Amino acid sequence: HVQLVESGGGSAQAGGSLRLSCVRSGAISDNYCVGWFRKRPGKAREGIATIYTGGHRTMYADSVKGRFTISLDVDKNTLYLQMDNLRPTDTAMYYCSADSREWLLIPRYDWWGQGTQVTVS
């Protein structure tokens, strides 16, 4: 059973930075997909960054490309999202996710964290 716990959310000024972390416990397949999603008020859950370890493949949504960086520390079972040049439109609840299937930015992952709030003013 996989559990994901996010941390690092909070408040930031526009143009500032935050780094989110997501620690995974529980076994997962040798190749797996991890991602960051966000839910903004009144909008559907949006996939913003993902890594598939099988093909060392990384993908970003256009809305964050060039500003956000996803990384994975396999030894620490920790997924990161470095968010730079933040905008008020980045205000959302951020979730990490994991699955053995290559869902990439599609929100059909089996496992989800509880979410961490990011507010940009």
Side-chain angles (χ1 to χ4, degrees):
H1 179 67
V2 172
Q3 289 187 312
L4 303 171
V5 179
E6 301 102 335
S7 62
S11 298
Q13 297 287 325
S17 299
L18 285 172
R19 189 175 81 154
L20 305 183
S21 301
C22 173
V23 179
R24 173 179 60 82
S25 60
I28 198 167
S29 52
D30 290 343
N31 293 317
Y32 56 92
C33 200
V34 286
W36 287 99
F37 289 75
R38 67 185 180 187
K39 177 71 168 66
R40 293 183 283 185
K43 294 186 178 292
R45 187 172 294 197
E46 172 191 17
I48 57 172
T50 182
I51 294 175
Y52 178 62
T53 64
H56 302 286
R57 184 176 177 183
T58 302
M59 182 181 290
Y60 294 92
D62 289 343
S63 57
V64 305
K65 199 174 295 182
R67 300 188 299 121
F68 291 9
T69 304
I70 188 172
S71 60
L72 177 63
D73 188 327
V74 176
D75 292 336
K76 294 182 179 179
N77 292 332
T78 302
L79 180 69
Y80 300 98
L81 184 68
Q82 177 66 41
M83 304 186 294
D84 298 318
N85 193 18
L86 283 162
R87 303 168 179 169
T89 51
D90 294 319
T91 295
M93 185 70 80
Y94 285 72
Y95 301 88
C96 66
S97 57
D99 200 304
S100 58
R101 293 163 290 185
E102 194 177 354
W103 289 120
L104 299 178
L105 297 179
I106 301 172
R108 296 186 64 182
Y109 289 65
D110 274 345
W111 299 294
W112 294 86
Q114 81 288 351
T116 186
Q117 178 68 37
V118 171
T119 302
V120 184
S121 59

